[in-house]
Amino acid sequence: SSGINAEYGVIKELDIEFSEVLRNDHVIKPSQALVQIVTKGSDGEQLESSFKNRSSETYLRSLGNSLLNYFRIIPGGVLVFFPSYTALDVAVEFWFDSNIWDSMKQLKHCHVEPRKKENFYRSLKEYE
């Protein structure tokens, strides 16, 4: 199972035994990554991507501006996860319409995960 450590993760909790377990080293060293859950925006707004809140302009603006602040201080790349494609689409559309996306692109190369396999390879080439 991708991303799940068989000995410590969900598999152990479910008490499932496997005859073979594959493990691969990660490409990124732990010293090269920071995983962080951000609960408040740089303006103090609560960043809660609930169904009720995810279309709120206040939330979307706060999230976008907070990401801009991170983009300014983090060297290299930034990977942002959303709870669903719908939440991703709503945020990106708002950022396009409010010019936050343009500001993001001035600081980082921005790519949105495509849903179709053939578009994934095109996006990967653009990134290279």
Side-chain angles (χ1 to χ4, degrees):
S1 178
S2 175
I4 298 175
N5 185 319
E7 297 166 324
Y8 302 106
V10 173
I11 294 171
K12 183 174 182 177
E13 290 178 19
L14 296 175
D15 198 27
I16 298 173
E17 300 242 355
F18 289 91
S19 59
E20 296 181 38
V21 177
L22 298 175
R23 290 185 187 91
N24 292 308
D25 291 333
H26 288 279
V27 176
I28 298 172
K29 298 175 188 140
S31 63
Q32 295 174 304
L34 169 67
V35 177
Q36 188 174 21
I37 297 171
V38 181
T39 59
K40 290 196 178 198
S42 53
D43 59 359
E45 180 70 25
Q46 184 166 343
L47 298 178
E48 181 185 335
S49 184
S50 64
F51 178 78
K52 177 182 161 189
N53 197 42
R54 73 175 57 143
S55 296
S56 159
E57 288 189 14
T58 304
Y59 159 74
L60 293 167
R61 185 172 287 104
S62 180
L63 178 60
N65 287 328
S66 297
L67 287 171
L68 280 169
N69 287 336
Y70 278 109
F71 288 7
R72 288 182 186 101
I73 61 172
I74 295 174
V78 175
L79 182 60
V80 180
F81 291 95
F82 285 83
S84 68
Y85 281 118
T86 301
L88 168 67
D89 292 342
V90 168
V92 170
E93 182 178 340
F94 178 83
W95 297 336
F96 270 122
D97 293 344
S98 63
N99 295 320
I100 291 174
W101 187 260
D102 290 335
S103 298
M104 289 177 171
K105 289 191 70 87
Q106 290 176 3
L107 298 168
K108 303 281 183 194
H109 296 283
C110 297
H111 298 273
V112 176
E113 178 185 5
R115 291 176 181 75
K116 295 182 180 179
K117 183 169 76 171
E118 57 272 10
N119 294 340
F120 175 78
Y121 295 111
R122 187 177 319 129
S123 180
L124 193 59
K125 278 223 175 279
E126 289 173 12
Y127 180 73
E128 293 173 345

